[in-house]
Amino acid sequence: MTSEMTISQTQMKKIAKELSTRDKRLARVIDAHPLCTIGRNPKPVTHFEALVESVISQQLAVKAADTIYGRVKDLTKGRMVPGRIADISEADMRAAGVSGAKFKTIQGLADAALSKKIKINTLHEIDDDQLIFDQLTSLWGIGPWTVDMFMMFQLGRLDIWPTGDLGVRRGWEKIYALKAEIEPKALDKKGEKFRPYRSVVAWYCWRALS
């Protein structure tokens, strides 16, 4: 299951234009980079697979995360489904590069999907982002960053503001030429004027670092 919401190129151009009118510094970053892809290119993977990928990616460089994810997918014989994940031993997961804590999180996610504690295949049908957030963070080892990434890149939600992401904070500091590091709480307030398109702003914060 992927997101039911797809943003067209025309819609995203309107959003980018709207954000540019709200902030001149952000406008320069938008002009200098490609059009935001959030919500425009839904990943052809299940919600379960996207969450496993997010858990593996926690605090890892992209290349390392992709390598480990590929090994885990090989362990499932190419079918990343809860039942197959639940059958993988901790020893095999550790050999693939998954930490003990992440193994526990991934197995807990598989158990929640299998037991229907979380109706994982229909998360995109829930309109309330906070409800999705509360459901997923109730699982051991799944924190705000993982859920934010899931809602942005898997569900295509346009108003997620991942202030816990270091890249977003560093990008913001660069865009606004800040001399000191900005704290998540302070950035949370700064994002208010960009509602309901804060995911797009976050995306351009990342681009500002490239």
Side-chain angles (χ1 to χ4, degrees):
M1 292 283 172
T2 54
S3 169
E4 83 291 359
M5 181 175 71
T6 303
I7 306 299
S8 70
Q9 183 173 348
T10 301
Q11 287 172 309
M12 187 55 77
K13 280 182 177 176
K14 285 181 181 176
I15 291 168
K17 188 176 180 181
E18 164 70 17
L19 290 171
S20 292
T21 63
R22 295 187 198 179
D23 192 287
K24 289 180 181 178
R25 283 181 180 264
L26 182 63
R28 288 199 285 270
V29 178
I30 290 172
D31 287 343
H33 292 87
L35 193 63
C36 178
T37 58
I38 291 174
R40 296 204 297 130
N41 303 308
K43 288 202 234 176
V45 298
T46 64
H47 295 341
F48 177 76
E49 191 168 347
L51 282 165
V52 171
E53 189 175 6
S54 282
V55 170
I56 288 171
S57 298
Q58 290 170 6
Q59 299 179 323
L60 286 179
V62 173
K63 191 174 180 181
D66 286 348
T67 299
I68 294 169
Y69 179 75
R71 290 175 189 156
V72 172
K73 192 159 187 176
D74 287 344
L75 290 172
T76 67
K77 304 284 193 289
R79 286 195 66 227
M80 184 76 76
V81 294
R84 292 201 177 184
I85 283 289
D87 288 341
I88 300 172
S89 70
E90 182 171 1
D92 285 344
M93 279 278 210
R94 295 292 285 265
V98 176
S99 70
K102 287 183 182 180
F103 168 77
K104 183 177 176 181
T105 299
I106 291 168
Q107 291 293 65
L109 180 63
D111 290 344
L114 289 167
S115 68
K116 307 287 193 235
K117 178 184 176 185
I118 301 289
K119 293 180 180 176
I120 204 159
N121 290 329
T122 55
L123 287 172
H124 61 282
E125 295 175 2
I126 302 172
D127 290 330
D128 187 347
D129 289 336
Q130 188 61 44
L131 185 58
I132 297 172
F133 188 90
D134 291 343
Q135 279 196 44
L136 292 176
T137 56
S138 72
L139 302 177
W140 191 91
I142 293 186
W145 182 88
T146 301
V147 183
D148 285 345
M149 295 305 106
F150 174 76
M151 289 196 291
M152 287 173 72
F153 295 107
Q154 179 70 5
L155 301 187
R157 298 292 167 91
L158 295 179
D159 196 36
I160 306 303
W161 191 222
T163 57
D165 185 272
L166 186 62
V168 170
R169 298 203 302 276
R170 294 296 93 93
W172 181 278
E173 289 158 9
K174 186 175 180 181
I175 293 168
Y176 296 96
L178 302 184
K179 291 188 170 72
E181 293 182 1
I182 191 165
E183 294 298 321
K185 204 169 181 180
L187 185 56
D188 198 46
K189 290 177 183 175
K190 296 283 187 184
E192 285 299 313
K193 74 172 183 175
F194 297 114
R195 287 179 180 271
Y197 304 123
R198 292 177 297 171
S199 298
V200 180
V201 177
W203 192 89
Y204 280 110
C205 284
W206 285 314
R207 297 290 84 71
L209 295 174
S210 60

